């Protein structure tokens, strides 16, 4: 098939060419605007996440710097480069060592010699006799121990009255406590007798 002669073809009208070029420019500009808007949203999200991460890291560093035990520990990993916007943490000085106390032994010439030990009684075979335990009162070990006087039970320990004592402790007015006791069939005179201010 022979190639067509382009000079013989009719030319495209200028208005149609301008319309096609304008349509291409409009579609391309819409695409670029949408793309730049989407990129801007993604970048702002990334920026917000980075700022949040920097804030969390600053808080974590401040909490770690407030622990004095961590300041004295040797570093186990190489130190990370600090963020340029955050100031370096203050150095925590190590506590001073306790003062050493030196105790000097007194000279033997200034102290008197210790008293000799008491003689140990021995029996006929030469073995030591057991020493009797000293007693402040002669014959005290023969007496039975004195029983302790039992304390009378207090009304506050009684489970029937415990709720009413708790109500008084919580600040419930006394007439309300007495009314509740009367409704439940408990004698309020016992409670009133055990409370000095009532």
């Amino acid at each position: 098939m022979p190639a067509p002669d382009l000079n013989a073809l009719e030319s495209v009208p200028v208005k149609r060419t301008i319309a096609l070029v304008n349509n291409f420019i409009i579609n391309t500009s819409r695409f670029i605007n949408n793309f730049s808007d989407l990129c801007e949203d993604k970048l702002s999200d990334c920026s917000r996440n980075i700022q949040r991460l920097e804030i969390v890291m600053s808080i974590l560093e401040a909490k770690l710097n407030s622990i004095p035990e961590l300041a004295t520990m040797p570093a186990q990993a190489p130190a990370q480069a600090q963020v340029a916007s955050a100031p370096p943490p203050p150095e925590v000085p190590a506590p001073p060592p306790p003062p050493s106390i030196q105790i000097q032994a007194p000279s033997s010439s200034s102290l008197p010699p210790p008293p000799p030990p008491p003689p140990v009684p021995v029996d006929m075979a030469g073995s030591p006799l057991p020493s009797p335990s000293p007693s402040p009162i002669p014959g005290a070990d023969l007496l039975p121990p004195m029983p302790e006087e039992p304390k009378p039970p207090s009304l506050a320990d009684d489970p029937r009255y415990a709720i009413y004592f708790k109500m008084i402790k919580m600040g419930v007015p006394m007439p309300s406590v007495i009314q509740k006791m009367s409704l439940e069939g408990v004698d309020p005179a016992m409670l009133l007798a055990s409370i000095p201010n009532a």
Side-chain angles (χ1 to χ4, degrees):
M1 179 172 189
D5 186 13
L6 296 178
N7 290 333
L9 291 176
E10 195 177 304
S11 65
V12 178
V14 176
K15 287 186 177 181
R16 187 172 179 184
T17 305
I18 292 174
L20 289 173
V21 170
N22 283 343
N23 189 22
F24 171 76
I25 291 173
I26 290 171
N27 287 337
T28 306
S29 64
R30 279 185 190 153
F31 169 75
I32 291 174
N33 284 338
N34 288 338
F35 180 72
S36 67
D37 193 32
L38 180 67
C39 290
E40 189 176 338
D41 288 343
K42 296 279 185 183
L43 286 174
S44 66
D45 288 344
C46 287
S47 174
R48 254 185 268 122
N49 289 339
I50 289 172
Q51 285 178 350
R52 188 178 306 129
L53 185 62
E54 286 177 354
I55 291 170
V56 169
M57 288 298 291
S58 297
I59 292 172
L60 180 63
E61 285 178 2
K63 285 182 179 179
L64 288 175
N65 287 336
S66 69
I67 301 174
E69 290 86 17
L70 292 180
T72 60
M73 290 178 59
Q76 295 178 355
Q80 299 278 338
Q82 290 191 357
V83 180
S85 63
E91 292 283 329
V92 178
S100 61
I101 301 173
Q102 296 178 352
I103 300 174
Q104 295 179 350
S107 62
S108 60
S109 62
S110 65
L111 293 177
V120 178
V122 292
D123 63 0
M124 295 286 218
S127 60
L129 291 172
S131 61
S133 59
S135 174
I137 302 172
D141 53 349
L142 300 175
L143 297 175
M146 294 184 62
E148 294 183 12
E149 293 182 20
K151 293 182 180 178
S154 77
L155 195 62
D157 297 334
D158 190 349
R160 292 177 295 172
Y161 289 92
I163 188 170
Y164 308 115
F165 279 104
K166 187 173 183 180
M167 289 173 67
I168 293 170
K169 187 177 180 182
M170 299 291 280
V172 177
M174 187 57 78
S176 300
V177 176
I178 293 172
Q179 181 182 9
K180 182 168 177 68
M181 291 177 77
S182 300
L183 289 174
E184 294 179 355
V186 181
D187 185 17
M190 296 286 291
L191 181 71
L192 293 173
S194 67
I195 299 174
N197 296 345

